[in-house]
Amino acid sequence: MNETIVMLKKGEGRVLKAGGAWVYDNEIDCIKGEFQEGDLVTVCDFDGYCMGQGYINTRSKIVVRLLSRSKDAVIDEAFMERRVRDAWEYRKQTIDTACCRLIFGEADFLPGIVVDKFSDVLVVESLALGIDRWKNVIAEALKRVLAEDGIFIRGVYERSDAKVRLQEGMERVKGFIGEPFDTKVEIRENGVKYIVDVVEGQKTGFFLDQKNNRAAIHPFCRGKKVLDCFTHTGSFALNAGIAGADSVLGVDASQVAVEQARENARLNHLEDRVRFQCADVFELLPELEREGQTFDVVILDPPAFAKARNSVKNAVKGYREINLRGLKLVRDGGFLVTCSCSHFMEPELFAKTIRESAAGAHRRLRQVEFRTQACDHPILWAADQTYYLKFYIFQVVSER
């Protein structure tokens, strides 16, 4: 047991007791012993019962993130390698590992760190002080474990530049872990090729969580006219193209993203059928409606409108507006693909918002599919921060 003990208040620690990994600042009665921020501590209930071990950072609202529920666990390099090995064995059983998320923080019992694999490159995102001390150890362990299966990693890049690090009292950093390498990586997913820029791309360079959802649109796109909103680097649009769509328009507000999407279209020889436009989706959709345009499939994959709990009300307005506008552009009998990647936009609220949009557009919805994030982003029950992506496919029919 660690020398520093974090004692919970009586009746607190509900998330922890339900299986979660976080201890919040307002749940703590006292901290016994000396420590430095990021050190390992033992968490005990008000009566002294040991809840487990984790690392501490009093500068964060999440003061302790639990690494183990055992008071006897030795948290060292061997411990980290066991966690890494378990995560890799899970991926091998559940998903195509050519490109996937290898470590998904709390869901892999390594809170505060994400590691993505793009072909033979790893991208590390460290979001908490305690795990930051272990990021190099985790990266090296991953390289060793993958090598056992004949997978050799040519480079590791760090993308710990998220704003959330500031809340931990940490600087935002990015750069090579180890020797420099060519950071533009070609990957293949669902038969589509992409160039991933791990230095300048959003997050770790590419959104892997929609992998299975992108494949799910294929049956609805063959021979169809498709609109892909918030296309980023073109992933849904290119999947529609590979699936045999007659024409695809991908829209994004970022000129850099649009240029990358066009490069990806050329890479897949789809530039004759898949085109991209730089525009504000909220402004473009009403314009397309005024022009009388309709589409067989409309895809809405916006960024997280709700990045904090206090922004949910405004986020609902955004989701309601974008779904209403999108629904008006779907031909009778066509399909709407719509999703939310915001953890704070709870599933019931998102469903209610879509229902309100359908009423406003005077369209009726028949649910085809409901999905969440790909299984390399596992949802750990009782750790609800690991569940964030909601994905629907609807058939859209006029009121009749």
Side-chain angles (χ1 to χ4, degrees):
M1 186 179 289
N2 301 293
E3 293 182 2
T4 304
I5 310 294
V6 175
M7 299 292 296
L8 301 180
K9 296 175 183 175
K10 187 173 183 178
E12 296 292 351
R14 287 183 291 273
V15 170
L16 208 60
K17 292 168 186 175
W22 294 354
V23 177
Y24 293 93
D25 54 1
N26 61 355
E27 298 181 300
I28 295 171
D29 180 52
C30 63
I31 301 173
K32 300 178 180 179
E34 296 183 358
F35 65 92
Q36 292 185 340
E37 306 292 3
D39 281 356
L40 288 168
V41 298
T42 297
V43 179
C44 291
D45 207 355
F46 75 98
D47 58 0
Y49 179 81
C50 180
M51 306 291 292
Q53 301 180 60
Y55 47 79
I56 190 168
N57 184 1
T58 59
R59 290 174 291 196
S60 170
K61 279 194 168 295
I62 305 167
V63 175
V64 181
R65 298 171 192 252
L66 220 64
L67 278 167
S68 174
R69 292 186 173 269
S70 170
K71 65 179 180 181
D72 300 318
V74 178
I75 297 174
D76 56 9
E77 292 191 12
F79 174 94
M80 294 296 173
E81 182 162 326
R82 287 194 298 273
R83 287 281 197 261
V84 163
R85 193 174 296 278
D86 288 347
W88 174 236
E89 288 300 319
Y90 166 80
R91 268 73 185 178
K92 287 196 295 183
Q93 295 178 71
T94 57
I95 203 159
D96 171 17
T97 59
C99 52
C100 68
R101 177 151 293 183
L102 294 178
I103 305 290
F104 185 41
E106 284 74 2
D108 286 304
F109 312 105
L110 287 170
I113 193 165
V114 164
V115 183
D116 285 342
K117 175 181 179 289
F118 300 112
S119 186
D120 57 355
V121 167
L122 300 183
V123 181
V124 175
E125 183 181 30
S126 168
L127 301 172
L129 180 61
I131 206 70
D132 206 62
R133 297 180 176 182
W134 294 98
K135 64 189 176 188
N136 289 11
V137 169
I138 290 168
E140 289 301 314
L142 277 167
K143 289 162 70 175
R144 286 195 302 274
V145 169
L146 268 60
E148 293 174 8
D149 284 329
I151 300 170
F152 298 98
I153 299 301
R154 67 180 171 91
V156 182
Y157 195 82
E158 181 174 10
R159 283 295 305 270
S160 300
D161 51 350
K163 288 182 180 179
V164 70
R165 280 176 63 98
L166 302 177
Q167 298 171 18
E168 291 272 317
M170 304 163 67
E171 293 182 354
R172 301 164 71 181
V173 297
K174 58 191 290 189
F176 295 100
I177 296 178
E179 293 298 315
F181 58 92
D182 183 358
T183 55
K184 288 198 173 180
V185 188
E186 182 177 316
I187 67 168
R188 183 188 291 265
E189 178 197 271
N190 302 333
V192 182
K193 298 176 184 177
Y194 304 91
I195 298 297
V196 175
D197 186 344
V198 302
V199 176
E200 300 300 336
Q202 288 191 18
K203 300 282 190 175
T204 60
F206 185 78
F207 296 109
L208 293 166
D209 51 4
Q210 294 271 31
K211 177 186 292 190
N212 297 341
N213 300 338
R214 289 190 277 261
I217 73 167
H218 286 209
F220 310 100
C221 294
R222 186 169 185 80
K224 301 299 175 60
K225 180 183 178 184
V226 179
L227 174 65
D228 177 23
C229 301
F230 310 99
T231 192
H232 190 225
T233 55
S235 55
F236 273 108
L238 295 168
N239 272 267
I242 285 287
D246 279 350
S247 70
V248 184
L249 172 61
V251 182
D252 200 274
S254 165
Q255 186 64 49
V256 172
V258 165
E259 290 303 325
Q260 183 64 66
R262 289 171 178 159
E263 183 180 349
N264 287 332
R266 290 190 291 271
L267 186 65
N268 290 277
H269 308 292
L270 291 171
E271 62 270 30
D272 59 330
R273 291 186 290 117
V274 183
R275 64 186 182 90
F276 295 95
Q277 179 178 345
C278 183
D280 183 318
V281 172
F282 284 93
E283 295 176 0
L284 180 65
L285 296 194
E287 183 180 325
L288 294 176
E289 183 186 350
R290 286 192 295 271
E291 293 172 0
Q293 292 207 42
T294 60
F295 297 83
D296 298 295
V297 181
V298 172
I299 301 165
L300 304 174
D301 183 23
F305 291 157
K307 295 185 178 180
R309 197 168 298 281
N310 60 10
S311 63
V312 169
K313 187 174 181 180
N314 285 333
V316 167
K317 294 178 182 177
Y319 285 115
R320 187 186 295 125
E321 172 71 11
I322 203 67
N323 279 279
L324 184 147
R325 294 296 179 185
L327 281 163
K328 289 184 175 182
L329 294 174
V330 181
R331 70 162 181 82
D332 187 18
F335 294 89
L336 174 74
V337 178
T338 185
C339 42
S340 167
C341 62
S342 171
H343 159 67
F344 297 102
M345 190 73 177
E346 295 181 351
E348 295 79 8
L349 180 58
F350 186 50
K352 178 176 180 286
T353 303
I354 295 169
R355 191 179 301 116
E356 291 169 350
S357 297
H362 304 290
R363 311 303 296 274
R364 302 182 73 183
L365 301 180
R366 291 202 287 204
Q367 182 177 320
V368 180
E369 287 200 53
F370 173 74
R371 293 168 166 265
T372 59
Q373 62 249 36
C375 50
D376 54 344
H377 297 62
I379 297 169
L380 180 65
W381 282 35
D384 65 355
Q385 70 274 9
T386 64
Y387 177 21
Y388 63 95
L389 183 60
K390 286 76 63 179
F391 174 93
Y392 283 101
I393 300 177
F394 294 106
Q395 187 185 42
V396 181
V397 295
S398 299
E399 291 189 330
R400 58 179 75 171

